[in-house]
Amino acid sequence: MNEHPISRRDFIIRTGKASGFAAAACAAGWVLHEPLRRPFDRNDEAPVVRDMRVPGLSPELVVGHGSDAVALTAAVLTALGGMQTFVAQGDVVVVKPNIGWDRRPEQAANTNPDVIAELVRHCVAAGAGKVIVTDVTCNDPVRCFNRSGIGAAAREAGAEVLLPSDARLREVNMGGAMLGRQRVFDLYLEADKVINVPIAKHHGLTRVTLGFKNLYGIIGGNRSRLHQDINNSIADLGNFLRPTLTILDGMRVLLHNGPQGGSLDDVETRNTIAASIDPVALDAWGGMEFFGLAVEEMPWLPLARDYGLGTEDWASLPRKDVTA
């Protein structure tokens, strides 16, 4: 029994407050939900897959050790059969480093510029019609390309260096478990070959950034939304863009406070470069080698394997070790 019946005036006030709260909650829900829903909508348009792998090649793992990044990059490529194994005469090749952050090379947040320059030189020597180096950055792109040293190194090596711009983003349907329609840098839709060149580093959410995570840099817009289901997002990106080759830069490794880092105390010199056409195996190896992670601690790997992108069992691949 209600021992304190409310008056008609109190009823109107309380009803008004409740209605206002409900309206506000609905509005907040719409505002919070809408940015999540819209980018992942699908329509009847067929999903796009950019498969830039070279048919007929057998996956193997090449691991190189040495303190000279240029010589070591060359040695790893030679062990893989040379860049001509992957790049044909006239190919438009996009080299995709991690240039996400306004950091110096020694801070190890971005790919080593000497590795990128040597890759460009080998692509040119193999007869590529054009070599483009680019990335969709997190910080200001001009500062990222300059301060990382990648912009200047790539130009001097013979590449065209392109900064990202909204005008070059094209919306496609990735048809993934998490990612439907996304805005993709058009270079990745038009290239003949893509060489993915991540740096191995810590990441606060996924524990590590390797090859699959590096593909975040092919899309524009608010990428933080992908973090809500990051493992499926990572696997979807790898299924959409299947690189010709993945080369993992482990010359300097950011072990803590990634992905941006900043302190040299978080960086360890490992003088290692590894490569494979199997991105799943390379991520599994890199996570173990640099961070001691088991496959179970990198949940995007089995998702990528289920897409048919490779195997987590990197030890089952033929392996070559080189020094330079």
Side-chain angles (χ1 to χ4, degrees):
M1 170 184 265
N2 184 351
E3 297 180 349
H4 304 285
I6 62 174
S7 66
R8 182 172 182 275
R9 179 175 178 276
D10 287 339
F11 174 80
I12 293 172
I13 291 172
R14 293 184 186 185
T15 301
K17 287 181 177 178
S19 300
F21 177 80
C26 290
W30 184 87
V31 168
L32 292 173
H33 178 68
E34 183 63 10
L36 301 178
R37 180 179 62 80
R38 183 176 294 164
F40 308 136
D41 275 351
R42 295 171 174 80
N43 60 17
D44 293 334
E45 179 185 334
V48 173
V49 172
R50 292 292 289 142
D51 190 346
M52 258 90 56
R53 295 174 295 183
V54 177
L57 297 181
S58 298
E60 59 183 336
L61 177 64
V62 173
V63 179
H65 298 282
S67 59
D68 185 330
V70 172
L72 189 55
T73 303
V76 168
L77 289 172
T78 299
L80 287 165
M83 188 61 87
Q84 67 275 9
T85 303
F86 307 98
V87 173
Q89 289 283 330
D91 274 352
V92 174
V93 182
V94 175
V95 176
K96 163 66 178 78
N98 189 325
I99 324 177
W101 306 100
D102 180 9
R103 295 297 191 203
R104 303 187 309 274
E106 57 268 29
Q107 293 170 303
N110 304 306
T111 305
N112 189 307
D114 294 333
V115 173
I116 298 304
E118 185 65 3
L119 286 172
V120 170
R121 286 190 282 269
H122 282 259
C123 289
V124 172
K130 182 186 294 185
V131 184
I132 300 169
V133 173
T134 192
D135 192 18
V136 180
T137 63
C138 298
N139 295 148
D140 175 75
V142 173
R143 292 187 62 83
C144 292
F145 277 65
N146 288 340
R147 203 160 186 229
S148 69
I150 294 175
R155 282 190 204 93
E156 291 172 6
E160 182 177 347
V161 176
L162 290 180
L163 271 61
S165 70
D166 284 346
R168 301 203 65 155
L169 296 176
R170 285 168 47 191
E171 190 169 281
V172 298
N173 180 14
M174 292 186 178
M178 178 64 181
L179 303 184
R181 300 187 64 80
Q182 288 292 323
R183 298 173 72 207
V184 178
F185 199 178
D186 62 357
L187 295 171
Y188 297 99
L189 302 172
E190 298 166 357
D192 297 306
K193 303 289 170 54
V194 169
I195 301 176
N196 187 24
V197 199
I199 184 170
K201 62 177 178 176
H202 172 259
H203 190 283
L205 185 57
T206 57
R207 305 181 69 173
V208 64
T209 286
L210 299 164
F212 277 89
K213 182 66 172 62
N214 195 43
L215 297 179
Y216 263 52
I218 71 170
I219 60 178
N222 183 2
R223 294 185 300 206
S224 64
R225 286 173 290 193
L226 279 61
H227 288 177
Q228 297 190 11
D229 189 348
I230 195 165
N231 294 306
N232 270 307
S233 296
I234 290 172
D236 285 352
L237 282 169
N239 187 47
F240 162 73
L241 179 65
R242 304 174 183 186
T244 309
L245 175 66
T246 303
I247 298 177
L248 181 60
D249 166 25
M251 297 302 293
R252 304 182 188 94
V253 179
L254 180 62
L255 295 175
H256 309 285
N257 296 313
Q260 187 169 184
S263 171
L264 298 184
D265 292 339
D266 294 328
V267 178
E268 186 172 292
T269 299
R270 299 294 293 270
N271 289 333
T272 302
I273 294 174
S276 182
I277 63 171
D278 182 332
V280 184
L282 191 60
D283 265 22
W285 177 85
M288 181 280 301
E289 174 70 15
F290 298 117
F291 300 92
L293 297 180
V295 167
E296 296 74 26
E297 297 173 285
M298 296 177 276
W300 65 91
L301 292 177
L303 299 172
R305 176 246 295 146
D306 289 345
Y307 272 132
L309 301 177
T311 175
E312 311 103 300
D313 184 15
W314 55 267
S316 66
L317 300 185
R319 173 170 171 168
K320 297 177 184 175
D321 286 84
V322 297
T323 57

